[in-house]
Amino acid sequence: QELRAFQKLVFVSEQVFGEKKAKFLLPWKRVFNLTDAQLNLAKKDNASSLYNSKLEGFTEDLLNESFLSELRTTQQQLGLGDETASKSMQKILRQEVEKKLDGAIEVLNM
């Protein structure tokens, strides 16, 4: 839990100050002996978590150009890679399709 809180701190500091200023103002690597990989993982994990929370209320009714545009903007603001964002979206879409299929199977089994 402490590690998770620290990862959030790293992520938020970069979001607030920007990458270059955060590195200068908060030298995580030097002070805490962290590697670039650990810092990148913290950023990616938190960005993914925030992006996934944006997708939590997804329904097919929201599947329109403005929602997708908003998702793309969120992805870019969080600095989340296309591959990670697409995996999150695929997971949500898969769940929606599975719900529809389960409903169809129930109707057929009646």
Side-chain angles (χ1 to χ4, degrees):
Q1 201 172 30
E2 292 171 358
L3 177 61
R4 186 80 178 130
F6 184 74
Q7 287 179 331
K8 284 182 183 179
L9 180 61
V10 171
F11 177 77
V12 169
S13 67
E14 187 168 301
Q15 289 293 304
V16 171
F17 299 117
E19 187 175 353
K20 289 182 182 181
K21 287 181 184 176
K23 283 183 180 179
F24 177 75
L25 295 171
L26 306 163
W28 305 114
K29 287 175 22 178
R30 187 180 58 212
V31 175
F32 295 102
N33 288 331
L34 298 174
T35 64
D36 284 333
Q38 289 170 313
L39 293 174
N40 288 335
L41 179 64
K43 294 174 204 172
K44 182 181 174 186
D45 284 352
N46 282 285
S48 291
S49 177
L50 289 170
Y51 189 77
N52 287 337
S53 68
K54 180 87 172 173
L55 288 173
E56 275 182 9
F58 177 81
T59 62
E60 74 177 274
D61 299 335
L62 293 174
L63 193 57
N64 57 41
E65 188 176 339
S66 65
F67 180 72
L68 294 175
S69 177
E70 186 180 325
L71 276 178
R72 179 67 175 161
T73 301
T74 300
Q75 174 196 348
Q76 291 171 335
Q77 288 172 341
L78 295 173
L80 190 63
D82 288 342
E83 184 176 325
T84 306
S86 69
K87 284 182 183 177
S88 294
M89 189 61 155
Q90 284 175 343
K91 180 181 174 186
I92 294 296
L93 292 173
R94 178 182 210 91
Q95 290 171 351
E96 286 295 311
V97 168
E98 287 173 355
K99 283 181 198 174
K100 296 282 186 189
L101 290 174
D102 287 343
I105 289 171
E106 283 182 30
V107 168
L108 290 174
N109 287 334
M110 292 182 152

